[in-house]
């Protein structure tokens, strides 16, 4: 049923009814499930949840029963099943499933086997596993030694199998690597080598990325920042952003992360003498901002992105942002030291300029901003 839905089968009332009829039997017959059955069932439930399957009490109970089975039979799964299971758990969490102790235990139970079976992993396994680990970490999974070791195990395989990855794999892996960096991943030589191995394939396969993949790549390239050499960064961004300008169907969230990515690109290019290139990217930024007009933005972070883009482009800000202001001890200490050295110096704190996020200290008479420990 999950495979049928994935391949275009409508989620009819009859299909929903059939799924609902089967779910109670998962719990009832859990003692009879073999590893392949456990992996297939959890994959199916994750895939159905990706297509708006409601997480009913019966659904959640069935997932909990399967997670218990994963823990109990952890040493019997083959690489494909480990990949599918970790992907399924990450997808379920991404679709709103609570991170219960049972889920955490199932993840922890499988991670050591990623390292143990590393020589049997193919390109799809590697892409799914890296995506799953980044997604789980982003939802609060602890970066235990086992998880760090699993990531470290996968990175050399990215380099070794770089010619076998499909466009979706490449987009998912670069997104995963950027997300791991966002959550404290160290820039090890293996990490840098894996990233360097993937980047040439972005340009080479630019025509084959789906719109969501392009948005994720723009976000990832921006988040990876100076890990990516400037010329590679610029050429890759240029090839991707032109695909976005063709106005493919994008979700509001995809447009937002693309807008943020292009803005970071413009900020980075503003530091080098290449104004013409920067103007080209600003045109794309303007197009993306226009596509967001007349959309309601409830998320505070998304509203801030809109505000920053409008400020950069000199456009009227379509929303009034609200920022939380906090004055830290280091900020107070620094301000007091500065004032004691120069008693007549005018200092303003937590000041918003052009509707942008507040700066720590503003010296208005000197047109200077000081960030003590800001982003």
């Amino acid at each position: 049923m999950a495979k049928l839905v994935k391949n275009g089968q409508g989620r009819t009332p009859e299909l929903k009814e059939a799924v609902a009829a089967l779910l109670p039997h998962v719990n009832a017959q859990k003692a009879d499930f073999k590893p392949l059955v456990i992996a297939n069932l959890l994959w199916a439930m994750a895939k159905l949840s990706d297509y708006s399957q409601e997480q009913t009490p019966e659904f959640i109970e069935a997932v909990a029963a399967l997670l218990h089975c994963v823990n109990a039979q952890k040493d019997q799964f083959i690489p494909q099943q480990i990949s599918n299971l970790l992907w399924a758990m990450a997808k379920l969490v991404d679709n709103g499933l609570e991170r219960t102790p049972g889920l955490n235990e199932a993840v922890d139970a499988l991670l050591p086997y990623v390292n143990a079976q590393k020589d049997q992993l193919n390109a799809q396994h590697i892409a799914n596993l890296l995506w799953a680990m980044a997604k789980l970490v982003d939802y609060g999974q602890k970066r235990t030694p086992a998880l760090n070791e699993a990531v470290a195990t996968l990175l050399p395989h990215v380099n070794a199998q770089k010619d076998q990855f499909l466009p979706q794999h490449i987009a998912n892996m670069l997104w995963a690597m950027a997300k791991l960096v966002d959550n404290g991943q160290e820039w090890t030589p293996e990490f840098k080598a894996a990233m360097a191995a993937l980047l040439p394939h972005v340009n080479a396969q630019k025509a084959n990325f789906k719109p969501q993949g392009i948005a994720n790549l723009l976000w990832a390239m921006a988040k990876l920042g100076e890990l990516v050499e400037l010329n590679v960064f610029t050429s890759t961004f240029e090839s991707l952003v032109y695909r976005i300008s063709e106005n493919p169907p994008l979700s509001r969230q995809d447009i937002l992360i693309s807008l943020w990515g292009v803005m970071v690109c413009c900020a980075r290019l503003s530091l080098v003498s290449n104004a013409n290139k920067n103007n080209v990217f600003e045109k794309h930024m303007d197009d993306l901002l226009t596509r967001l007009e007349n959309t309601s933005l409830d998320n505070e972070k998304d509203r801030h992105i809109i505000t920053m883009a409008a400020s950069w482009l000199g456009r009227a800000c379509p929303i009034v942002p609200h920022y939380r202001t906090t004055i830290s001890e280091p900020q107070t200490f620094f301000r007091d030291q500065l004032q004691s050295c120069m008693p007549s110096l005018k200092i303003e704190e937590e000041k918003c300029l052009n509707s942008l996020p507040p700066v720590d200290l503003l010296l208005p008479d000197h047109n200077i901003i000081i960030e003590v420990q800001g982003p």
Side-chain angles (χ1 to χ4, degrees), residues 330-343 347:
Q331 180 177 331
T332 300
F333 177 79
F334 185 86
R335 182 194 182 286
D336 291 346
Q337 292 293 307
L338 193 60
Q339 197 77 76
S340 68
C341 293
M342 293 176 273
I347 303 174

Side-chain angles (χ1 to χ4, degrees), residues 231-253:
N231 289 336
V232 175
F233 177 85
T234 308
S235 63
T236 306
F237 238 87
E238 193 172 11
S239 67
L240 291 171
V241 85
Y242 276 112
R243 293 286 317 283
I244 288 284
S245 68
E246 295 166 2
N247 290 325
L250 284 171
S251 70
R252 183 178 64 181
Q253 191 57 34

Side-chain angles (χ1 to χ4, degrees), residues 259 263 285-286 289 303-319 354-356:
L259 176 62
M263 194 161 28
M285 192 198 304
D286 191 70
L289 185 58
R303 293 165 70 90
H304 294 173
I305 291 173
I306 297 290
T307 304
M308 287 189 283
S311 177
W312 184 285
L313 294 166
R315 287 174 52 168
C317 185
I319 55 178
N354 297 333
S355 300
L356 293 173

